[in-house]
Amino acid sequence: MDNNKKKVLLISMRGGFGHLKAGEALFEYAQKNLPNIDIKHVDVQSISPIFKGYDKIYEIITKKIPIIWELMYKNTFVFALIRDTLFLKGLLSVGIKRYIKRNNPDSIIFTNVTVLSLFPFNFKKFFPNIKIGVLVTDYHGHPYYKFSYVDYYFVPSKKVVLDFQKIGINKEKIVVTGIPINPRFYIKQKVSDLKLKYGVNNGLPVVLLIASFRARKRDLISLVRQLLEFKSKINLIFIANANQELFNEIKNYFNGYERFSVVNWTNFIEEYIKISDVVISKAGGLTVTECLTLKKPMIIINPIPGQEEYNAGFVEKNNFGIRVKSINEIVTILPEMILASKN
């Protein structure tokens, strides 16, 4: 190993796919383009047992009882209580401290702020020479992000800079970088070739439906039927977001339908977005950024109360898409959205 290289440790944590994907994007970019950096990316759940199952708990709360998440997100006192509780656990979390000491990085970038609560407030006493950065993966600066020992905040927009300044974070610590996405999104590909790859060969618009939002199965089935029976014919691609049961049900229910394909999961989401005219999805920070990068208008349905509502607001305010209140509104606005994609 080159001892002159700067060592950067990326620490992510599952809770939605976004935080982990952001870390992977940074890791891949650095490996290919920053030869003077020795970079490592790790999911904190593989280091410390404290967060084992956090992603499952997060999914249950945000999808099954979202009002609980909304109360937590919008009530600063509740979040402070959670942070203090995790801080007490952090006093006992020797695994992460040992991991950091063993790797001895020059800097650490956290892609999920929750992990910071594992550390005592005198973090700098343990690691005085390590620079700490936090990557913000949503278009809102929540008060939870305020930690005295953080050296840099990497944020997606100027609006988040203002959010952080309002809660007392020094402007000198805040850098507008955007949200990192997989470098493959920036690679130019011939759309016609990609369409042939995925069986789209009729010249009709392509609608990508990413079933990551909260919805009952019968409502999703109704939406797919409405889209397939849409008076202006379209191609519809349905991504089940790794929900095998949903994938099987949609595939069997609409077996034999033309202009329709069902995908359980893909590691090449950028190719599907590139061939699409409109993307129907929830408003995760990474998904929003991916669609904005490829200039694909979004129809947003059922954003998670809290951060995804702010993401949806960012999309609408900047005319990048529309948020609908119910699934039945989608077919009403779809012609407008397809037309907007052509301009």
Side-chain angles (χ1 to χ4, degrees), residues 187-202:
I187 297 174
K188 298 292 184 182
Q189 293 177 279
K190 196 172 181 179
V191 173
S192 57
D193 290 343
L194 288 177
K195 285 185 174 181
L196 288 175
K197 176 181 177 179
Y198 294 110
V200 178
N201 55 13
N202 52 28

Side-chain angles (χ1 to χ4, degrees), residues 213-226:
F213 48 85
R214 292 175 289 116
R216 295 172 297 184
K217 285 183 184 176
R218 66 172 179 265
D219 292 332
L220 281 172
I221 289 172
S222 174
L223 174 59
V224 171
R225 183 187 297 111
Q226 290 179 53

